[in-house]
Amino acid sequence: MFAWCLMGPVHAQGDPQGLSANLPVRLKDAFVTPSGHVALQTAERVSIAGDGRYSARGGPAIKLGLPGRIELSFAPARQFGDASSVHGNLAGAEVEWNFRQQGRYVPAMLISLIRQEPYGGGH
């Protein structure tokens, strides 16, 4: 073990998007709204390209806690900016199922299904 420490620095891959080509990587907590509860949240996301163009998206999200550690959320989002990916508004719906609660040695895990549809002008 001591010899391993003398090997020098180990370089990790710095770009999480580089883990899988053409597949977005999204990291989030695996906890859902408790059953019978309603939560109102806001979410904002800003992306800046290498050439300086940007896109921003944000808006409210209504989250409903259902039995069986399931969460249903609805989020109409507004997009703006000068990047080529900006096309107006997106309405989103998401279903999350927390199939593994946090244990002493294993983290909580969930499966998430997301659907987004454009609405309004600018498409």
Side-chain angles (χ1 to χ4, degrees):
M1 174 118 176
F2 181 71
W4 179 79
C5 295
L6 296 176
M7 290 178 7
V10 177
H11 298 284
Q13 184 173 354
D15 180 15
Q17 297 295 332
L19 296 175
S20 182
N22 300 321
L23 183 65
V25 176
R26 184 174 171 187
L27 182 65
K28 62 186 296 183
D29 65 35
F31 298 100
V32 295
T33 303
S35 178
H37 289 79
V38 177
L40 179 62
Q41 297 179 342
T42 61
E44 289 75 30
R45 181 180 303 166
V46 177
S47 299
I48 301 173
D51 61 2
R53 294 184 302 159
Y54 76 97
S55 66
R57 179 173 52 174
I62 299 170
K63 299 181 177 246
L64 308 170
L66 302 175
R69 296 189 311 268
I70 296 173
E71 178 181 279
L72 181 61
S73 64
F74 301 98
R78 173 73 181 125
Q79 292 192 63
F80 57 93
D82 58 2
S84 61
S85 63
V86 175
H87 300 292
N89 303 319
L90 285 174
E94 184 172 3
V95 176
E96 294 180 340
W97 172 44
N98 176 275
F99 65 90
R100 172 73 169 90
Q101 289 186 322
Q102 182 174 339
R104 185 171 182 174
Y105 300 107
V106 180
M109 295 181 213
L110 66 78
I111 293 175
S112 179
L113 300 173
I114 302 169
R115 178 68 179 174
Q116 293 180 327
E117 288 292 327
Y119 71 95
H123 299 287

